Amino acid sequence: MASGRVNLAAMLQNQRVPCSSQPLDALFLSASSPSFLGSRSMLSFEDVRAGKRPDNPFFCQFDHDENGDEDLDEYFHQPEKKRRLTADQVQFLERNFEVENKLEPERKVQLAKDLGLQPRQVAIWFQNRRARWKTKQLEKDFGALQASYNSLKAEYENLLKEKDELKTEVILLTDKLLVKEKERGNLEVSNTDTLSQELPQVVVADSVSEGEVSKVSLVVCKQEDLSSTKSDVFDSDSPHYADGGHSALPEPGDSSYVFEADQSDVSQDEEDNFSKSLLPPSYIFPKLEDVDYPDPPTNPCSFGFPVEDHAFWSWSY
DNA sequence: TTGTGTTTTATTGCCTCC
DNA sequence: GGAGGCAATAAAACACAA
């Protein structure tokens, strides 16, 4: 690129040419001055700040191994050689960078004076330093984001695991429930004759015909049996839904069908199964991923609905 | 010593702001 | 339009293993 091009201005401006208004004079004075002892004996910039600056700021251009006529001669015969800043200079610049990573013109000039560099060099140093800082910052941000991502991923996987466990538990409990219900259903079938007498008295809403009362009676619970779970809910012929099917329910069109409110998010397919099911919609298990589980019903017969919401019927003992 | 990778210094071109 | 910042890049200086 163009850096190979001879840049006369830069050469003249560059600190490798002594950094004073009179470069050559400064060089010779400094190089031959007894006070010039190389960077090892160079005044620290703390000292510089304390006012112990040498009269001529040219104290930063030669390392300890670079004084002497031979070096000077070599120096001037080199086309344009890059020279690194001394450790002290870099340290000083670093401190200033920490204070403020942008450089106002006055500050630039002052720093250049303090360091014995060209203002342009100070500006370039700050520019490069900002670039390095930005790279580091990006790496840091990347690390933080990666950590955050890993953490979220772990959390997500834990939740998935937990979900699977809950799913298994639900299936297990449902199986138990069905077995229990089946046993109970068999018992009730054998007592069919007395069943109607034992059923609680139900006041059926106007819309429910007398012939449908028996259907309703399958759905309702006896208050004293509430603690025995939802056993009264299920028909003894309810299909096992571990395979994805659902237990039977009264036909939605049937006036005894009292759970319409919860169908909003049930698909048509699910509705079809649903219509054959005795389970209320709250007990239908679509893909668990798609479900927001309602709070557990306080009353096992309410299936998530407040009992008083069902104006169709009420209990009387 | 030398080859190679990394760091540092410096340039260039483009962009934005005043 | 000039000054200054930034990204991309070159190239010297440096570090280090073989």
Side-chain angles (χ1 to χ4, degrees):
Chain A
M1 212 166 138
S3 8
R5 198 169 68 199
V6 176
N7 188 334
L8 189 60
M11 281 186 75
L12 291 172
Q13 200 180 32
N14 200 303
Q15 86 293 349
R16 287 163 230 137
V17 176
C19 45
S20 78
S21 55
Q22 295 170 302
L24 291 177
D25 287 348
L27 172 66
F28 292 131
L29 281 170
S30 301
S32 58
S33 162
S35 66
F36 181 77
L37 299 171
S39 62
R40 290 281 178 267
S41 60
M42 196 163 63
L43 290 173
S44 72
F45 290 100
E46 287 77 14
D47 289 340
V48 168
R49 296 215 133 188
K52 293 195 203 168
R53 291 178 55 193
D55 291 335
N56 193 307
F58 181 72
F59 51 83
C60 53
Q61 304 312 315
F62 295 96
D63 288 336
H64 58 285
D65 58 343
E66 287 182 309
N67 43 3
D69 292 342
E70 196 179 322
D71 288 333
L72 286 175
D73 190 53
E74 191 184 338
Y75 187 93
F76 279 103
H77 286 91
Q78 284 172 351
E80 184 193 5
K81 235 181 163 185
K82 274 185 190 171
R83 311 191 103 246
R84 294 206 168 188
L85 304 182
T86 67
D88 287 339
Q89 282 173 315
V90 170
Q91 196 181 1
F92 188 62
L93 286 166
E94 286 286 357
R95 282 196 205 131
N96 276 274
F97 183 83
E98 282 169 20
V99 173
E100 172 64 62
N101 73 346
K102 288 275 173 82
L103 205 55
E104 305 82 32
E106 302 80 24
R107 190 159 157 248
K108 178 171 67 180
V109 170
Q110 186 56 49
L111 277 174
K113 264 187 183 174
D114 287 349
L115 291 164
L117 300 173
Q118 288 297 313
R120 178 178 165 77
Q121 276 184 289
V122 175
I124 287 169
W125 188 91
F126 266 74
Q127 199 153 306
N128 287 324
R129 185 65 183 80
R130 279 195 297 270
R132 287 198 295 272
W133 177 84
K134 191 177 176 183
T135 305
K136 279 231 166 67
Q137 198 61 32
L138 281 173
E139 284 170 3
K140 207 172 159 186
D141 289 348
F142 176 78
L145 280 172
Q146 198 168 38
S148 173
Y149 167 77
N150 288 337
S151 158
L152 279 172
K153 194 179 168 194
E155 196 180 332
Y156 171 72
E157 280 163 0
N158 281 340
L159 284 171
L160 275 184
K161 200 176 159 190
E162 196 179 333
K163 188 193 80 176
D164 283 344
E165 286 168 4
L166 288 171
K167 197 174 176 179
T168 307
E169 194 180 341
V170 164
I171 290 170
L172 216 71
L173 289 173
T174 305
D175 280 349
K176 276 187 185 173
L177 197 62
L178 283 174
V179 168
K180 195 173 178 183
E181 185 53 36
K182 197 161 188 174
E183 286 169 0
R184 198 182 173 89
N186 288 339
L187 196 66
E188 284 178 2
V189 166
S190 68
N191 293 330
T192 266
D193 293 343
T194 54
L195 183 61
S196 58
Q197 295 162 12
E198 290 176 357
L199 275 173
Q201 245 191 318
V202 175
V203 178
V204 181
D206 290 341
S207 60
V208 181
S209 68
E210 270 203 36
E212 291 167 332
V213 169
S214 59
K215 283 186 181 176
V216 173
S217 68
L218 287 173
V219 185
V220 300
C221 301
K222 284 174 77 175
Q223 196 78 19
E224 65 254 36
D225 282 344
L226 292 183
S227 59
S228 67
T229 72
K230 305 112 185 165
S231 52
D232 288 330
V233 171
F234 302 108
D235 190 307
S236 58
D237 294 322
S238 302
H240 196 290
Y241 54 79
D243 58 354
H246 307 299
S247 299
L249 256 195
E251 297 287 328
D254 196 311
S255 56
S256 64
Y257 181 72
V258 295
F259 298 105
E260 294 175 20
D262 202 25
Q263 287 187 80
S264 55
D265 56 352
V266 178
S267 68
Q268 185 60 50
D269 189 39
E270 284 165 345
E271 267 184 54
D272 291 341
N273 291 331
F274 181 30
S275 65
K276 299 170 194 159
S277 172
L278 251 185
L279 277 176
S282 302
Y283 278 74
I284 289 174
F285 302 101
K287 284 181 71 182
L288 285 171
E289 295 83 359
D290 304 327
V291 171
D292 282 332
Y293 288 105
D295 289 333
T298 51
N299 182 332
C301 288
S302 68
F303 307 117
F305 298 97
V307 174
E308 55 270 29
D309 283 350
H310 305 298
F312 281 97
W313 39 272
S314 60
W315 294 108
S316 74
Y317 290 99

